[in-house]
Amino acid sequence: MNTIKLLLIASVAVLLTACAAMGPQIAQPYQLTAPAPIQGNTGQYMSPYTTDGVLAEWVNNAVNAEMGGAIGGMAGAYAGQKLAENIPFVGGWIGQEVGNAVGREVALEMAGGEEVLRGTSDISFNTLEELSVWMYVTHSAHPHYADALESAMSIYPELKQVYYVALQQASAGVAVSGAAAPRSNSLIGY
């Protein structure tokens, strides 16, 4: 009986491993081409890195005040819970939207405000997909990549949903060698 249980557990483990390996893979940064950034801050989304490869001042401000997004998220979750009590089905969605908006405002304030965000960024992008792929290709080996990504996700909450999908799409058609999840894997699960 124990042998059967052991074989069953081993079979399930092998099956789960095979399923995970067959899922979408992310190419290594060197296998992808980075989208060209907009030089200057005229794009809709500011880069957390400057042209010389260092973190923009707004990222340092946000990292130093790291509670911004968490505070906004908690406020939004509370608002969503209260709305959900009164409005079935819609309350949770509204709460998430409120949480994202409040979280963004708090994170933006902690980063120094819109003027500091635009004033200390000299690279920008028109889409979050471009920003995602560019950051991964050009800076994923940077020691503070997780901080930069987390700060960008606080300022642009939609990036939480876009980031991993953008990397998967950029990796489509690439013969993935030594595929790995992005170094900031823990941030993807937002």
Side-chain angles (χ1 to χ4, degrees), residues 39-62:
Q39 297 301 315
N41 60 7
T42 59
Q44 186 172 354
Y45 303 102
M46 301 299 109
S47 168
Y49 293 95
T50 61
T51 53
D52 56 358
V54 298
L55 293 176
E57 180 183 331
W58 65 267
V59 176
N60 290 324
N61 293 346

Side-chain angles (χ1 to χ4, degrees), residues 72-73 75-80 83 91-105 157:
Y78 179 75
L83 283 170
W93 175 77
I94 292 173
Q96 180 180 2
E97 293 301 311
V98 168
N100 284 343
V102 170
R104 182 186 195 289
E105 289 305 313

Side-chain angles (χ1 to χ4, degrees), residues 75-87 91-92 95:
Y78 179 75
Q81 179 182 6
K82 289 301 174 189
L83 283 170
E85 291 173 1
N86 299 316
I87 308 170

